[in-house]
Amino acid sequence: MLKSNKNSTPFSRPKNPEKTAAECACIKHIQQIHSPYYYVYSHISLLGLFFKNPNNPLHIELGCGKGQFISNLASENLDKNYIAIDLIDAMLGLAKRNVEQVYAEKNIKPENIVLTRYDIERILQILDKEDKIERIYINFCNPWPKGKHRKKRLTHTRQLEKYKQFLTPNGEIYFKTDDDDLFNSTLLYLEETGFEVKAKTYDLHEEPIFEHNIETEHEKMFTEQGIKIKALIAQNTSKNEKQVSNT
């Protein structure tokens, strides 16, 4: 199940009334140290504490940046829970403000979203098959063009094998990029790891494949520069149960 880790820092307000005395004491201590939306959790079940409806379907965004995408997506889909992950504290601070602003404009509470700091290369330290992630969003990740760095790509085979450990059967990956090489390589990575590409496009704005496309800041910038946006939807159809190291 989704595991707490002392190095993770989610941003949200716990809502589950059925907290244990120990959990309440931990939260009270945290509130004395941090701002109301900033939590360091340790030995606490994140799902039960941070989502109003923890049994809702769970989606994640890997590399959320300033949070423009996830704040709009989550606020439009209150029947789903969202975890947005990034490694850079400054980005998460901006994402936190974007989430608060978007939800405030819609006059709703951010009870279905958590932002957390974590190294995505070690994602199996906080997620596993019990979390039953139904969808992963990866938007305009670092293309790592140099050969020796390509294993760092969020869509590399090494990462995809990890995602299969917590994606549900038929779980999906929604991917967007401006980079031609990364896109073409990702198609190969997906084939190698048993994912089925259900839809793809080399020009998302001319050939939409998403029911509702939410533009990110990078997407708007690249589009203004005349760069076509590549996108795909892949489905986890592999029956491979091989375990992957979490390091």
Side-chain angles (χ1 to χ4, degrees), residues 52-115:
K52 180 180 179 181
N53 298 303
N55 293 323
N56 283 349
L58 185 57
H59 296 184
I60 64 174
E61 183 186 11
L62 302 180
C64 67
K66 298 178 182 179
Q68 181 183 31
F69 173 84
I70 199 66
S71 59
N72 284 282
L73 178 68
S75 63
E76 293 176 4
N77 296 276
L78 300 180
D79 59 336
K80 298 179 179 63
N81 292 330
Y82 295 87
I83 300 174
I85 304 174
D86 208 285
L87 186 60
I88 302 174
D89 285 321
M91 288 292 106
L92 288 169
L94 293 171
K96 168 183 174 291
R97 288 195 286 273
N98 276 326
V99 168
E100 292 173 345
Q101 179 180 344
V102 169
Y103 275 75
E105 290 173 351
K106 298 180 180 181
N107 196 29
I108 54 178
K109 295 181 179 180
E111 298 175 328
N112 69 324
I113 182 170
V114 167
L115 311 182

Side-chain angles (χ1 to χ4, degrees), residues 16 28-29 42 45 48-49 65 70 80 83 90 92 103 111 124 129 166 177 182 209-210 242-243:
N16 191 337
K28 182 178 180 181
H29 173 68
S42 179
S45 171
L49 291 176
I70 199 66
K80 298 179 179 63
I83 300 174
L92 288 169
Y103 275 75
E111 298 175 328
L124 291 185
K129 64 181 180 180
F166 53 78
T177 182
L182 175 61
I209 61 172
F210 303 136
K242 180 179 65 176
Q243 295 298 312

Side-chain angles (χ1 to χ4, degrees), residues 2 16 20 31 55 75 80 88 124 158 161 165-166 174 196 217 232 238 245:
L2 190 63
N16 191 337
T20 66
Q31 286 175 320
N55 293 323
S75 63
K80 298 179 179 63
I88 302 174
L124 291 185
R158 183 173 66 171
E161 290 290 354
Q165 302 303 305
F166 53 78
Y174 278 43
E196 180 181 351
E217 288 186 355
L232 62 81
S238 173
S245 171

